[in-house]
Amino acid sequence: MNLNIVAVVAGLVMSLTWVSGASAADTEDQIAKRLMDAVPGLKVTSVRESEAAGLYEVQSNNGDTIYTTADGVYLLTGDLLKITDNGIANVSEASRAGQRQEQMAAFAGKGVITYPAKGEQKAVIDVFTDIDCPYCRKMHDEVPQLNEYGITVNYYGFPRSGPGTPSFRKYESVWCAEDQREAMDAAKGGKSVAQKTCDNPVEEQYRLGGQVGVTGTPAILLEDGNMVRGYVPARNLAEGLGIL
């Protein structure tokens, strides 16, 4: 048998024995402490028992999911998969989707730039976007089509170059404009936008993107917390949402 597998199995057996002598809360606290002590800069945001006996699911400030034995000694990274009657289910992604829903609800749409659905609203998507991203611009060209399908588009700022950069200041100028949608349309079309400053939530939105796992743009968050990474043609997106 592969020695790595033997080591993990042995760790699971030892951790199950160890858990019996400690409360669940104590176990979770000790896992968090052990990981943060071992990895400088890591901030554990949650620890809970996973569906797999003997493994705990750890969420961190960088959006990664870590699985650990109860004693915090053995670690596994990557997605946890489960064999079901309907095939292979991604347990990790389902957990992340639930967390994203909570994080987005807590943020409560602060300062989003909204392109509302035409007529009856059938779906809402939250899009983390970068004005200078070519595929973000391509998606923006299709926002009117999405609106016609009954999809409301909420834009969250995620200038990939980060705070203090020209692209970031450009997004802030759009947000501070008297007519945000007009300024966004112009900027996404490659036109210059008057530089403006004001109190704005762009940096908060940028940090939120990192917390929910955005690594590139556009990143489309659906109402169930699932994330679509990258550009998807408007019709395909509407079909995926069950609207067409």
Side-chain angles (χ1 to χ4, degrees), residues 9-243:
V9 171
L12 289 175
V13 172
M14 290 173 62
S15 65
L16 285 170
T17 303
W18 185 83
V19 167
S20 63
S23 71
D26 288 343
T27 300
E28 292 164 9
D29 289 344
Q30 290 185 49
I31 288 173
K33 183 179 186 306
R34 185 152 200 168
L35 288 176
M36 288 190 290
D37 287 346
V39 184
L42 180 72
K43 181 179 179 183
V44 171
T45 56
S46 70
V47 180
R48 65 180 183 180
E49 290 186 74
S50 76
E51 290 187 27
L55 285 180
Y56 280 73
E57 178 190 283
V58 181
Q59 299 290 344
S60 64
N61 57 328
N62 60 10
D64 290 340
T65 302
I66 303 167
Y67 294 95
T68 175
T69 50
D71 55 9
V73 173
Y74 294 90
L75 308 177
L76 297 171
T77 59
D79 285 355
L80 180 64
L81 306 179
K82 178 181 179 181
I83 298 175
T84 71
D85 292 340
N86 297 318
I88 303 294
N90 190 323
V91 175
S92 300
E93 181 56 30
S95 177
R96 286 192 291 264
Q99 277 210 326
R100 289 189 199 110
Q101 280 185 305
E102 294 173 4
Q103 290 167 310
M104 297 300 289
F107 195 81
K110 180 180 179 182
V112 299
I113 298 176
T114 299
Y115 287 77
K118 301 292 184 184
E120 179 189 356
Q121 178 175 281
K122 299 175 183 177
V124 178
I125 59 174
D126 295 327
V127 182
F128 285 86
T129 191
D130 178 337
I131 287 171
D132 294 320
C133 152
Y135 280 101
C136 294
R137 292 185 174 188
K138 187 174 179 65
M139 180 176 183
H140 188 73
D141 289 341
E142 298 180 18
V143 166
Q145 187 178 350
L146 291 169
N147 294 157
E148 289 293 338
Y149 288 146
I151 301 170
T152 291
V153 178
N154 292 325
Y155 273 149
Y156 288 75
F158 195 83
R160 295 167 299 168
S161 54
T165 61
S167 187
F168 204 95
R169 288 192 290 272
K170 187 185 298 184
Y171 201 104
E172 290 177 316
S173 294
V174 166
W175 197 92
C176 293
E178 185 174 340
D179 188 326
Q180 292 178 329
R181 288 204 296 267
E182 183 179 279
M184 181 66 79
D185 293 343
K188 292 274 193 179
K191 298 177 182 177
S192 61
V193 176
Q195 188 169 343
K196 291 190 176 183
T197 59
C198 64
D199 289 333
N200 66 79
V202 178
E203 188 166 347
E204 290 179 73
Q205 293 179 0
Y206 177 78
R207 289 199 302 268
L208 174 66
Q211 290 165 9
V212 299
V214 175
T215 55
T217 54
I220 306 166
L221 261 68
L222 309 182
E223 292 174 272
D224 61 5
N226 281 302
M227 183 183 293
V228 178
R229 299 180 186 274
Y231 163 77
V232 177
R235 184 173 184 85
N236 293 4
L237 186 54
E239 288 174 347
L241 292 170
I243 293 172

